[in-house]
Amino acid sequence: MQTYDLSTGSLRELNATLHAQNETTNQTAWEIMNPRGAHAIACGLDSPIEVTVRGSTGYYSAGMNQQATVNIKGSAGPGVAENMMSGKVVIDGDASQYAGATGHGGLLVIKGNASSRCGISMKGINIVVHGSIGHMSAFMAQSGNLVVCGDAGEALGDSCYEARFFVRGTVKSLGADCEEKEMRPEHLEILRTLLAEGECNARPEEFKRYGSARTLYNFNIDNAY
């Protein structure tokens, strides 16, 4: 276990050290002490390492993640796991606005609540929220899965494309072109897998599925030759 204390070292040095790791590194486990809400902790990682942050973080923590597993033992500020490509990010507490924004892949787990715009413009990321999410979540979501074990705020899935939203609680309102959809066996299986990966003991049968009504599309498959 490699330990880095941000009360005595610089954030730039920390991120440079983490960026220097590669797929053959034997320094696979890192612990970051005293984050004190610093911004951009563990951003841009691209190696199969595990980073544990002992405390809460500021803006854009674990952004652009590839391959790495980042565990935040606290809450996270705006933009956590933004533009994530692969790997896993786990937040023990709450997440602020636009968690997982534009994520292309990987898994984001929020064990508390998420604020507004969770999963905005998601492009393949999977997000599991143990609590509730705020308004305008999954706005323009293109692909991937958003699992919410609590409630969802206003305008869920506004202007979405082919992403799936699974909500166990109530949805305050659906956004433009978002509708409740049939929960078929293949969706229950997807949800069962995500709940297990997200360390959540909720039952898939307790959820409803939402997605695009496809009335805002410019492209119509019937016009293709």
Side-chain angles (χ1 to χ4, degrees):
M1 173 73 74
Q2 310 298 310
T3 301
Y4 192 96
D5 192 337
L6 276 173
S7 67
T8 56
S10 74
L11 178 61
R12 182 181 294 273
E13 180 185 59
L14 167 64
N15 282 338
T17 301
L18 295 176
H19 292 166
Q21 308 308 308
N22 56 45
E23 294 189 6
T24 62
T25 183
N26 60 2
Q27 296 180 328
T28 57
W30 293 77
E31 186 174 51
I32 301 172
M33 309 299 293
N34 298 306
R36 299 182 297 182
H39 304 315
I41 292 176
C43 275
L45 305 186
D46 190 12
S47 58
I49 60 176
E50 182 165 355
V51 178
T52 300
V53 183
R54 298 287 179 186
S56 296
T57 62
Y59 286 75
Y60 297 111
S61 298
M64 301 178 290
N65 186 61
Q66 295 191 78
Q67 303 189 68
T69 297
V70 180
N71 300 284
I72 298 175
K73 301 297 184 180
S75 294
V80 65
E82 182 262 350
N83 205 36
M84 182 176 173
M85 306 301 287
S86 63
K88 185 176 183 179
V89 176
V90 181
I91 303 163
D92 280 0
D94 298 324
S96 189
Q97 303 175 85
Y98 38 92
T102 73
H104 288 251
L107 174 65
L108 169 61
V109 180
I110 301 168
K111 294 188 176 180
N113 300 305
S115 186
S116 61
R117 297 175 177 84
C118 179
I120 184 173
S121 195
M122 53 192 282
K123 297 176 174 68
I125 190 174
N126 291 319
I127 303 174
V128 178
V129 182
H130 288 211
S132 298
I133 59 174
H135 66 270
M136 291 296 291
S137 289
F139 172 58
M140 293 187 66
Q142 296 172 38
S143 64
N145 298 282
L146 171 61
V147 178
V148 182
C149 297
D151 302 325
E154 297 173 332
L156 174 69
D158 189 277
S159 305
C160 63
Y161 291 81
E162 292 304 297
R164 306 181 193 92
F165 320 126
F166 302 98
V167 182
R168 184 169 63 166
T170 61
V171 176
K172 190 163 187 180
S173 65
L174 295 174
D177 204 42
C178 186
E179 66 178 8
E180 184 176 348
K181 303 178 83 72
E182 178 188 5
M183 183 77 88
R184 298 194 297 270
E186 62 266 32
H187 303 124
L188 290 170
E189 190 57 36
I190 291 169
L191 185 52
R192 185 173 291 108
T193 299
L194 289 173
L195 288 170
E197 292 177 351
E199 302 173 21
C200 183
N201 58 9
R203 295 169 50 245
E205 296 78 11
E206 298 171 340
F207 289 77
K208 293 181 178 179
R209 181 172 75 98
Y210 303 88
S212 175
R214 300 175 179 170
T215 60
L216 297 180
Y217 279 19
N218 292 318
F219 173 75
N220 188 327
I221 191 63
D222 295 332
N223 298 328
Y225 295 98

